[in-house]
Amino acid sequence: MLAFESCRTGTLCLRTRRRAHAQRTCRPSVCLRQVEKAVQLLLVVANHVDLNDEDGSAASPEGEIAAAATAAAAAKLEDRRRRYRFELLRAAECEARVSFRFVVTSLLSMNTGSDWNDINPFIPDETLREILKLVPTMLLHASAIAHVNDLLMSCAKLEAQLDALRMQLDKSLTELETGAPNHKLASLVGVRTKAVTNLADQVAASLHASRHYIQQDATFDPRFLVFEFIRSLILRKGQVTIVRDFQRALEPHNLRAIKEAPETQQFYLAQQMLMGQGKTAVITPLLCLILADGRSLPIILLPEVLLSAGRGVLTATFATIINKRIYTLSCSRAAEAEPRYINLMQNALRYRMPPDALLPT
């Protein structure tokens, strides 16, 4: 769990405007440029190695040799040499630099400090703590920008729907005045009205989107935050609730309780969702991210008609910031256990670091 100090709820408030004016306003673009500058500055700080003395003058290893009369001076000289050697190796591309992908994925690591020291052993602890505080803020800001962009697109669609509805109403009113009502047109007006109402409800809900995975004490699971950043969205309350229900149900003590007394279980291992609520695009890849922890291998069962779409979502999710292998296993109820199936699953288990997912159909 991470602690976040500001923008805890992440509540968004956006005044609806006309599409032409929304296109002229570049507020999301300005915010995006600010995020890009923040990323560049963060990478500069993360890769910095101090080569200066305490008084601010440049270090001179040759001049320090004569002053290395004490153990402290010798240790200081050796530290300077190590820093220079490390910088020269990085200049020769023999040592890695901190990348943005590493910065984001370090939030998910159980050994964040040692991982950072492997990449930059000379980063001060205070600087590292500040970086780990700034990264969640930056990710929250970036996903909020994506949410606002989607909201602007929804507002543009809503305006187009309203214009079409207005034209149909004018046409229907004209026909009523002439005494020749068109029942088909009236039906289309009803359908268009319902579509406008549904889209308006979606826009209204998006205007007050919140980070439902952030607790009252400002702590949160960083996997939810990183997933939001990867998929450029803000998780809905129902989606967070379902994922947390699965997490609680799969805890070892709950699994034992279900096995010993299934009639008294408090958490359900099956959930039902309506179409369009994010089963394939949100819930499934987020559960894979959470459950594929190096000890477990998530298995996703899909019918053949949904295999391509489901595999595409998983590939898009785990091909950029977080890399996971996606194995596809074609089988049926009548299929016999062939050696190639066993070899595939054993290979997935053998190379489950980073954790992978299995996608049977």
Side-chain angles (χ1 to χ4, degrees):
M1 303 291 285
L2 292 180
F4 185 54
E5 296 181 352
S6 60
C7 300
R8 181 174 58 81
T9 59
T11 302
L12 300 176
C13 183
L14 180 67
R15 185 182 303 171
T16 55
R17 300 174 180 176
R18 295 187 61 83
R19 177 173 53 185
H21 182 64
Q23 291 177 347
R24 289 195 301 269
T25 58
C26 300
R27 187 61 182 174
S29 300
V30 173
C31 294
L32 184 59
R33 287 196 296 269
Q34 292 176 351
V35 173
E36 292 175 350
K37 292 180 180 179
V39 171
Q40 296 174 0
L41 179 60
L42 185 143
L43 292 179
V44 170
V45 174
N47 285 292
H48 178 69
V49 176
D50 187 11
L51 300 177
N52 293 330
D53 288 323
E54 296 180 356
D55 59 358
S57 60
S60 177
E62 294 81 4
E64 288 182 354
I65 294 177
T70 63
K76 182 178 179 181
L77 176 60
E78 180 61 25
D79 180 69
R80 294 300 178 198
R81 285 176 173 172
R82 290 177 57 245
R83 291 172 182 266
Y84 273 98
R85 181 177 180 274
F86 180 75
E87 277 291 273
L88 290 173
L89 288 174
R90 284 208 301 193
E93 298 184 354
C94 295
E95 288 284 354
R97 290 183 177 272
V98 176
S99 63
F100 180 69
R101 175 180 174 273
F102 172 81
V103 171
V104 175
T105 54
S106 66
L107 297 177
L108 310 179
S109 175
M110 299 297 293
N111 304 304
T112 304
S114 61
D115 292 340
W116 275 83
N117 287 329
D118 290 340
I119 301 295
N120 185 1
F122 302 104
I123 184 171
D125 293 339
E126 183 179 354
T127 301
L128 179 57
R129 286 193 295 269
E130 291 298 323
I131 290 176
L132 294 178
K133 289 180 181 179
L134 291 174
V135 173
T137 306
M138 184 174 58
L139 298 186
L140 286 169
H141 198 62
S143 58
I145 292 172
H147 180 76
V148 171
N149 286 331
D150 291 340
L151 183 56
L152 290 175
M153 294 179 62
S154 297
C155 290
K157 293 179 182 178
L158 179 60
E159 184 184 19
Q161 293 276 4
L162 288 171
D163 292 339
L165 178 60
R166 188 182 302 110
M167 293 177 60
Q168 288 184 349
L169 288 174
D170 292 341
K171 188 175 180 180
S172 178
L173 182 60
T174 302
E175 292 182 353
L176 287 175
E177 291 175 351
T178 58
N182 189 335
H183 297 290
K184 183 178 180 180
L185 182 59
S187 177
L188 291 176
V189 169
V191 173
R192 181 77 67 178
T193 301
K194 187 172 182 60
V196 169
T197 302
N198 293 336
L199 187 55
D201 291 340
Q202 294 177 10
V203 171
S206 298
L207 285 170
H208 300 282
S210 300
R211 314 282 182 166
H212 298 285
Y213 54 88
I214 299 181
Q215 307 297 328
Q216 293 295 330
D217 58 355
T219 60
F220 63 94
D221 189 335
R223 293 172 293 188
F224 288 90
L225 173 60
V226 173
F227 181 82
E228 281 190 341
F229 174 74
I230 294 174
R231 296 307 306 272
S232 298
L233 52 79
I234 291 181
L235 293 169
R236 304 171 189 169
K237 183 177 182 179
Q239 295 169 343
V240 174
T241 301
I242 287 178
V243 172
R244 282 180 171 167
D245 287 343
F246 273 114
Q247 284 184 274
R248 287 192 291 267
L250 294 175
E251 291 176 356
H253 62 278
N254 287 329
L255 289 177
R256 287 194 300 269
I258 293 173
K259 184 177 180 180
E260 296 172 357
E263 68 280 356
T264 61
Q265 64 173 341
Q266 298 179 355
F267 303 104
Y268 296 98
L269 295 175
Q271 295 281 352
Q272 183 177 1
M273 298 180 65
L274 299 176
M275 184 177 65
Q277 293 186 348
K279 297 184 297 295
T280 304
V282 178
I283 301 297
T284 299
L286 180 54
L287 281 174
C288 287
L289 173 61
I290 293 174
L291 299 179
D293 55 1
R295 298 182 300 272
S296 303
L297 180 65
I299 300 178
I300 307 167
L301 299 176
L302 291 174
E304 188 174 0
V305 294
L306 298 179
L307 176 62
S308 178
R311 184 167 50 193
V313 169
L314 291 176
T315 302
T317 303
F318 301 117
T320 53
I321 300 297
I322 302 174
N323 293 328
K324 292 182 183 292
R325 297 182 182 91
I326 309 298
Y327 297 91
T328 303
L329 176 63
S330 299
C331 60
S332 64
R333 294 181 179 179
E336 297 182 359
E338 300 180 9
R340 60 189 182 95
Y341 295 153
I342 299 176
N343 293 335
L344 178 63
M345 298 186 70
Q346 289 178 345
N347 182 66
L349 291 172
R350 186 180 302 113
Y351 298 104
R352 64 179 183 269
M353 293 299 292
D356 304 324
L358 189 63
L359 191 65
T361 176

